[in-house]
Amino acid sequence: MSALEPQSINWQTTSNRREHNTNKFYSQELILRRGQPFQFSLILNRSLGSGESLGFIASTGSYASESAGTKAVFPLSNKTSGGGWGAQLVSNKDKVLNISIITPANAPIGRYTLNLQIFSQGKEFVLKLGTFILLFNPWLQADGVFMRNEAEREEYVQEDAGIIYVGSTNRISMIGWNFGQFEEDILNISLSVLDHSLNFRRDPATDVARRSDPKYVGRVLSAMINSNDDNGVISGNWSGDYTGGQDPRSWNGSVEILKGWKKSGFRPVQFGQCWVFAGTLNTVLRSLGIPARVVTNFNSAHDTDRNLSVDVYYDPMGNPLDKGRDSVWNFHVWNEAWFVRTDLGPSYNGWQVLDATPQERSQGVFQCGPASVIAVREGDVDKDFDMPFIFAEVNADRITWIYDVYNGTQKRSSSDSRSVGQYISTKAVGSNSRLDVTDKYKYPEGSSQERQVFQKALEKLKPNVAFGATSARYLERDLQQPSISGTFKVTGILEVGKEVNLTLMLKNLTNDMKTVTVNMTAWTIVYNGTLVHEVWKDSVTISLDPKEEIQHPVKIPYAQYETYLKADNMIRTTAVCQVTNEAEVVVARDVILDNPTLTLEVLDQAQVQKPVNVQMHFSNPLDEPVKNCLLMVEGSGLLMGSLKIDVPALRPKEQSRVRFEILPTRSGTKQLLADFSCDKFPAIKAMLSIDVAE
């Protein structure tokens, strides 16, 4: 009898991928989800004889072992027992074996090798059959990432384009982002991200074994998406100077970033800021099968000393000071990933915060999370991971100080327990509208529950401070009530290239005459509060009659801010108002200037595999030319990779039209993203939804 051996194998890739919800991946590999059977056909050179049997060995990683759960040895039998790996003979006809293999719902994810064992004539032969990739399975109730709602699964696992909210509390805007988790090579790169982690380098066997756990994978990814410590994917830069890399605002999505990281030999891509880290982490999470979304917190506190308050400093002349390590960011973007918390108990299951932006070290590494959103709302700051930092991001009190550089004294001006953590936002399921999730992070501002939670958190962090004596909420009563109040009001339109017009509204709250000295400044800033350059200042003395309110105009010409404005388009205006023998009152407002509009227009009916013409339209609003113009376009399912188009320089007020061609590869509604940059406008964004017919 000739030696028994396989002649060919049919992996039934198309039907398996359809069954496993992996048919959107562009790669033609066998991509499977754990806990779910897959079928293939094995064609042998002859029928199985009596006393002959087959078995399988599945293994992942270079140090696979049965004890670690990274290797499984199991026979081909007529039925499979529940729970572990198993192979069932579905049919056996004319040397063709139809086989079904089941994987455990808690198997480590990653690339597996499947070997065939042949037991014949008292000998064992082992042959490699092939490889497959095993992913988390949000469709399966037994998997820790299971998501019951189909519309949510579709959005948080299968949607390859999205929206990220940016701006400030009084001007929320959105940018499109191409997640592109199914694009060619992105899944492989996502697995490479895990293989470049510090944990893998230190102990590859244990690291691969722990990839069964979504919270472990999420934490490792939060460290690896930033380049600190581990040569991870993206190098962060908030300086305002992006020489040697790309302005963080100019990215349209994660695909170019992840491919760039691989292409450079896994060297960090320059440069990113919070939404770039979050957009990229979202891609990797979704590609591996962990449901994920991008979340923006407006007025996000960066509390470095775990006292649940952030200190903000100004000098008496109205200049914001870069003093102390605490700060409040206009907005900060992180991720939520959906999985169970076996370490904390079922009441903490669901959305978990992961933050890949390098802000503070955790266990010696720049990583953050997973932190249960429910735990944040309940003030359970003693739970893993990084709860005090995340709780403070949405709850910290903001304390304003006046610091006198000349004599080194500082005095407290005001405290505010309401401004931090507002309009926490994410894209809604199935539409481009904004979903506000603030109530998932905290009880209503000022409610008794909210105060109790804050007190509970403070006591857990500072048990020796009875009744939270350091908290701003209790110090507010120590501050003398100011006799005047002020706000900055926008008058006129806020556009790059135009004069910025504001009004300082000052009101006397008392029945006495008041004389107020007002020192005002305006600085261009990066969204996280990094000061770029002073662009305007003024000092006035104003007399206010009892209960009088006056308006003082503020005008900042384009010529003064033009050179110093960053892609954030943000200007911080401050007025320090001093009534003799009283505490200073600080009035501050960040204004965001609008870019000119960039429009995209589809000129043909979009159809799969049929070239489509798109037109970009842009008008130079300035009284001066713009040059070094570049248009970058991308969109999953609409074009492979990205387009970079050099656009001719534009004379003052000149209009530009640029036509380009895309080739849709997928039907359905797809998102086209464009970024236009030139010497005067570092990043103008446009997005367009295109319905692609079959």
Side-chain angles (χ1 to χ4, degrees):
M1 209 163 45
S2 59
L4 183 66
E5 54 188 40
Q7 280 185 320
S8 66
I9 184 164
N10 175 359
W11 288 110
Q12 300 176 21
T13 305
T14 307
S15 57
N16 278 321
R17 284 169 49 127
R18 193 175 54 244
E19 290 291 315
H20 284 249
N21 299 290
T22 59
N23 47 349
K24 286 192 171 183
F25 285 98
Y26 278 77
S27 137
Q28 287 316 298
E29 287 183 272
L30 181 58
I31 302 168
L32 305 166
R33 296 194 186 276
R34 62 188 193 173
Q36 193 174 330
F38 66 96
Q39 295 210 4
F40 62 95
S41 313
L42 195 58
I43 295 108
L44 301 173
N45 62 336
R46 62 173 174 77
S47 299
L48 272 173
S50 64
E52 291 182 319
S53 63
L54 302 177
F56 297 94
I57 303 169
S59 60
T60 182
S62 304
Y63 302 91
S65 76
E66 288 182 81
S67 59
T70 49
K71 177 182 175 183
V73 182
F74 49 99
L76 177 63
S77 64
N78 291 325
K79 64 178 199 303
T80 56
S81 56
W85 291 82
Q88 182 180 1
L89 183 58
V90 179
S91 68
N92 177 2
K93 195 158 102 225
D94 303 332
K95 304 182 291 190
V96 180
L97 308 186
N98 274 314
I99 295 163
S100 171
I101 285 186
I102 182 81
T103 64
N106 62 350
I109 57 122
R111 189 180 300 283
Y112 278 78
T113 299
L114 187 65
N115 289 331
L116 177 69
Q117 292 173 300
I118 299 172
F119 300 98
S120 177
Q121 296 156 3
K123 294 197 182 113
E124 179 192 350
F125 307 92
V126 178
L127 301 159
K128 179 178 170 178
L129 289 179
T131 63
F132 60 88
I133 293 173
L134 196 61
L135 302 179
F136 291 106
N137 194 348
W139 282 262
L140 183 75
Q141 192 156 3
D143 196 313
V145 301
F146 172 62
M147 189 166 243
R148 190 176 302 279
N149 182 303
E150 189 187 344
E152 290 182 0
R153 251 189 344 244
E154 201 53 40
E155 179 74 48
Y156 300 133
V157 184
Q158 299 287 66
E159 186 54 67
D160 59 7
I163 279 169
I164 300 177
Y165 294 93
V166 296
S168 65
T169 49
N170 46 25
R171 206 173 184 85
I172 294 176
S173 56
M174 60 186 206
I175 53 169
W177 194 264
N178 181 29
F179 297 124
Q181 67 268 34
F182 303 119
E183 295 289 299
E184 195 65 61
D185 214 26
I186 295 301
L187 176 54
N188 278 318
I189 297 169
S190 298
L191 293 169
S192 298
V193 172
L194 295 174
D195 287 344
H196 282 79
S197 75
L198 292 176
N199 291 12
F200 181 82
R201 285 183 246 168
R202 288 181 191 131
D203 183 355
T206 305
D207 173 75
V208 171
R210 293 189 70 187
R211 292 180 191 179
S212 59
D213 181 357
K215 69 178 178 293
Y216 176 78
V217 171
R219 186 157 173 83
V220 167
L221 291 175
S222 81
M224 272 304 297
I225 297 300
N226 68 68
S227 67
N228 305 47
D229 319 302
D230 49 26
N231 268 334
V233 181
I234 303 160
S235 173
N237 182 342
W238 287 264
S239 70
D241 176 6
Y242 310 116
T243 317
Q246 204 164 304
D247 188 315
R249 293 257 172 184
S250 66
W251 299 108
N252 284 321
S254 321
V255 176
E256 293 299 297
I257 293 169
L258 289 164
K259 286 185 172 174
W261 181 63
K262 180 181 177 179
K263 196 173 165 188
S264 70
F266 304 107
R267 279 201 289 280
V269 173
Q270 298 172 311
F271 289 107
Q273 289 169 356
C274 66
W275 67 93
V276 183
F277 293 106
T280 306
L281 177 54
N282 213 57
T283 296
V284 175
L285 289 166
R286 286 186 187 179
S287 81
L288 298 177
I290 299 176
R293 61 187 186 182
V294 176
V295 174
T296 304
N297 177 37
F298 290 93
N299 287 350
S300 191
H302 183 154
D303 172 24
T304 55
D305 47 13
R306 294 170 63 114
N307 65 351
L308 298 190
S309 71
V310 285
D311 300 311
V312 184
Y313 295 88
Y314 297 89
D315 73 10
M317 295 314 293
N319 290 295
L321 298 177
D322 205 353
K323 178 180 155 41
R325 288 185 59 228
D326 285 358
S327 56
V328 177
W329 296 23
N330 267 289
F331 66 90
H332 178 45
V333 185
W334 58 67
N335 301 79
E336 286 176 1
W338 177 272
F339 47 82
V340 299
R341 290 302 297 268
T342 46
D343 55 330
L344 303 181
S347 59
Y348 298 101
N349 290 351
W351 289 116
Q352 313 290 327
V353 174
L354 291 168
D355 191 347
T357 299
Q359 294 181 90
E360 294 293 319
R361 283 201 159 86
S362 171
Q363 296 174 321
V365 175
F366 282 100
Q367 60 188 346
C368 185
S372 158
V373 173
I374 290 167
V376 175
R377 193 183 62 199
E378 299 304 328
D380 294 327
V381 291
D382 48 347
K383 303 279 185 251
D384 285 343
F385 292 87
D386 308 306
M387 280 289 301
F389 184 75
I390 293 163
F391 182 85
E393 283 183 306
V394 297
N395 285 299
D397 292 335
R398 178 187 183 128
I399 302 173
T400 304
W401 300 83
I402 302 289
Y403 178 74
D404 194 327
V405 190
Y406 297 108
N407 57 21
T409 58
Q410 63 182 44
K411 52 181 193 286
R412 187 188 172 105
S413 160
S414 66
S415 72
D416 175 358
S417 63
R418 286 173 175 251
S419 67
V420 163
Q422 294 193 36
Y423 303 111
I424 305 175
S425 305
T426 189
K427 175 191 172 301
V429 171
S431 83
N432 282 356
S433 50
R434 183 180 76 85
L435 176 68
D436 193 298
V437 293
T438 312
D439 62 334
K440 301 284 184 277
Y441 280 85
K442 52 192 194 177
Y443 289 100
E445 206 65 71
S447 66
S448 61
Q449 288 150 302
E450 185 248 359
R451 285 195 296 276
Q452 282 163 6
V453 164
F454 189 90
Q455 193 53 42
K456 168 181 165 183
L458 201 62
E459 282 163 8
K460 285 186 174 190
L461 288 173
K462 305 265 178 201
N464 51 339
V465 182
F467 201 60
T470 59
S471 164
R473 309 197 175 195
Y474 301 96
L475 284 168
E476 273 166 18
R477 60 184 179 213
D478 306 343
L479 291 169
Q480 184 189 348
Q481 288 308 306
S483 62
I484 54 162
S485 70
T487 53
F488 278 112
K489 206 167 152 192
V490 175
T491 48
I493 49 171
L494 295 171
E495 283 179 9
V496 178
K498 301 253 192 329
E499 180 176 78
V500 175
N501 285 291
L502 304 169
T503 302
L504 175 64
M505 318 279 291
L506 273 187
K507 185 170 187 182
N508 182 354
L509 303 172
T510 70
N511 294 318
D512 306 313
M513 273 282 296
K514 294 288 176 188
T515 303
V516 191
T517 309
V518 184
N519 294 320
M520 292 174 283
T521 64
W523 287 69
T524 52
I525 60 166
V526 178
Y527 78 99
N528 69 337
T530 301
L531 301 170
V532 178
H533 207 278
E534 185 184 74
V535 292
W536 175 86
K537 64 178 171 189
D538 190 18
S539 290
V540 289
T541 301
I542 295 168
S543 291
L544 288 171
D545 288 333
K547 302 287 184 189
E548 184 187 11
E549 183 166 28
I550 63 106
Q551 303 184 1
H552 180 78
V554 170
K555 293 182 187 307
I556 309 168
Y558 177 53
Q560 275 176 241
Y561 69 78
E562 165 188 14
T563 328
Y564 303 114
L565 194 69
K566 294 295 156 192
D568 310 71
N569 289 358
M570 285 187 184
I571 297 176
R572 175 164 290 175
T573 52
T574 310
V576 171
C577 310
Q578 170 92 63
V579 176
T580 316
N581 297 328
E582 292 185 21
E584 292 97 332
V585 171
V586 178
V587 182
R589 175 150 185 181
D590 291 348
V591 294
I592 302 180
L593 310 186
D594 284 341
N595 278 323
T597 312
L598 180 72
T599 52
L600 298 171
E601 182 188 2
V602 185
L603 303 176
D604 321 290
Q605 168 63 48
Q607 217 176 326
V608 171
Q609 296 302 345
K610 190 176 135 218
V612 179
N613 285 294
V614 180
Q615 186 163 273
M616 178 280 290
H617 180 258
F618 175 74
S619 280
N620 175 13
L622 304 178
D623 295 319
E624 50 189 301
V626 298
K627 50 186 195 293
N628 307 333
C629 305
L630 178 68
L631 179 69
M632 294 196 293
V633 182
E634 74 178 82
S636 286
L638 293 171
L639 67 162
M640 290 310 230
S642 67
L643 286 176
K644 285 192 168 78
I645 302 161
D646 287 312
V647 178
L650 290 166
R651 294 188 301 277
K653 307 291 187 197
E654 187 187 356
Q655 298 200 356
S656 166
R657 280 192 168 81
V658 175
R659 274 194 185 192
F660 56 90
E661 202 178 75
I662 59 173
L663 185 68
T665 51
R666 293 279 163 95
S667 62
T669 304
K670 299 289 162 206
Q671 188 168 279
L672 188 68
L673 296 163
D675 175 87
F676 178 78
S677 60
C678 57
D679 61 338
K680 302 292 180 193
F681 299 102
I684 301 177
K685 298 290 187 191
M687 61 186 254
L688 179 66
S689 289
I690 300 178
D691 291 317
V692 181
E694 273 295 351

